[in-house]
């Protein structure tokens, strides 16, 4: 089974976590896109979805799924389904490879349960091999880059990329993240940081990991 087929399998497996009659949160990326397609097959069972990016909102509408603004939803979303760039054994994640980290973090925070859908290539001992994205207010970019260097990171501006929120992304290389919660909080305190791609303070509740032999559920 190749990586694309594994993404398909894990996306289909996540349908089991969809709570009928509710509004769910939907993530961004190639694995989330496969989930959106699969969700189309049971669209009549849900009220609709909150999207974590403009691209996801378009994908959901293409499937005939109603897209809600989070501000128009009273209470929490039943479940949030999204991919990740890396995960560790405690279900901490690095996200934001697709640049949607801020809205992803908002929708995850608004959800009762976070189901992370990945293939086995995303599993790591320590987060940090995948460059850590930080969404920054453009005028603060160089200030934040200097602070990140002090922490041992090598920030690289994601050239030609503007987020759905009108901001820029610094991808931070060379980090070996031994304290994901601490680093998440520390980076988020730097003035000008919108958020960073560590999902440790609100990690996944369940990781569904596709392998060539099937989908493994990590709870
Ligand atoms: C987008 C994300 C994605 O979840 C992450 O990049 C994984 O993407 P893919 O499923 O394409 O590997 O965080 O901002």
């Amino acid at each position: 089974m190749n990586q694309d087929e594994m993404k398909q399998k894990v996306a289909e497996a996540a349908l089991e976590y969809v709570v009928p009659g509710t509004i769910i949160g939907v993530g961004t990326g190639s694995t989330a896109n496969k989930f959106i397609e699969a969700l189309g097959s049971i669209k009549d069972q849900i009220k609709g979805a909150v999207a974590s990016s403009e691209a996801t909102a378009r994908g959901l509408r293409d499937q005939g799924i109603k897209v809600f603004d989070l501000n128009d939803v009273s209470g929490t979303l039943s479940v949030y389904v999204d991919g990740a760039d890396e995960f560790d054994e405690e279900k901490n994640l690095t996200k934001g490879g697709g640049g949607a980290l801020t809205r992803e973090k908002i929708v995850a925070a608004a959800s009762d349960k976070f189901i992370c859908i990945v293939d086995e290539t995303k599993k790591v001992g320590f987060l940090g091999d995948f460059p850590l994205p930080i969404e920054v207010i453009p005028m603060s970019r160089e200030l934040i880059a200097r602070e990140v260097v002090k922490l041992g990171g090598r920030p690289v501006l994601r050239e030609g990329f503007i987020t759905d929120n009108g901001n820029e992304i610094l991808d931070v290389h060379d980090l070996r993240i031994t304290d994901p919660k601490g680093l998440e909080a520390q980076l988020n305190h730097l003035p000008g940081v919108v958020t960073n791609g560590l999902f440790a303070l609100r990690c996944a509740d369940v990781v569904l990991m596709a392998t060539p032999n099937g989908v493994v559920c990590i709870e």
Side-chain angles (χ1 to χ4, degrees):
M1 203 186 297
N2 63 32
Q3 193 180 17
D4 202 55
E5 289 164 338
M6 286 196 281
K7 288 182 180 188
Q8 183 67 40
K9 288 279 176 226
V10 77
E12 288 166 5
L15 289 181
E16 278 200 23
Y17 291 83
V18 172
V19 183
T22 67
I23 301 171
I24 71 166
V26 180
T28 298
S30 57
T31 317
N33 283 344
K34 292 192 184 299
F35 174 70
I36 293 167
E37 275 177 41
L39 193 60
S41 67
I42 60 160
K43 66 181 172 200
D44 295 336
Q45 294 180 26
I46 57 168
K47 280 190 189 157
V50 172
S52 64
S53 65
E54 299 298 335
T56 289
R58 283 193 295 276
L60 288 164
R61 287 193 188 101
D62 287 349
Q63 291 296 328
I65 296 166
K66 184 170 180 185
V67 176
F68 287 83
D69 184 311
L70 183 60
N71 291 312
D72 295 332
V73 179
S74 57
T76 53
L77 305 172
S78 56
V79 68
Y80 178 55
V81 179
D82 196 2
D85 298 303
E86 285 183 337
F87 74 98
D88 69 14
E89 64 177 10
E90 294 183 332
K91 300 186 286 278
N92 300 308
L93 317 172
T94 302
K95 290 184 46 55
L101 59 161
T102 299
R103 295 190 188 192
E104 290 172 340
K105 204 172 272 196
I106 293 167
V107 183
S111 302
D112 293 335
K113 203 163 193 182
F114 180 177
I115 311 298
C116 183
I117 49 174
V118 287
D119 61 77
E120 64 179 6
T121 64
K122 307 288 183 74
K123 187 168 188 209
V124 295
F126 290 97
L127 302 177
D129 287 347
F130 190 92
L132 176 64
I134 306 179
E135 180 165 350
V136 301
I137 303 284
M139 74 166 287
S140 66
R141 181 185 66 231
E142 294 306 314
L143 173 70
I144 292 163
R146 287 193 292 274
E147 293 301 318
V148 164
V149 169
K150 286 183 203 162
L151 296 173
R154 183 169 58 85
V156 176
L157 175 66
R158 200 177 292 187
E159 293 283 352
F161 186 87
I162 297 293
T163 70
D164 284 348
N165 314 306
N167 298 312
E168 295 177 337
I169 290 197
L170 291 172
D171 289 305
V172 184
H173 298 247
D174 300 343
L175 291 172
R176 185 169 187 269
I177 302 171
T178 53
D179 176 14
K181 285 189 179 64
L183 184 62
E184 181 178 356
Q186 189 177 8
L187 290 173
N188 281 348
H189 277 103
L190 296 174
V193 168
V194 180
T195 200
N196 68 82
L198 284 170
F199 283 58
L201 296 167
R202 200 281 181 254
C203 62
D205 298 302
V206 176
V207 174
L208 295 177
M209 179 183 73
T211 75
N213 302 318
V215 175
V216 176
C217 175
I218 304 162
E219 290 189 87

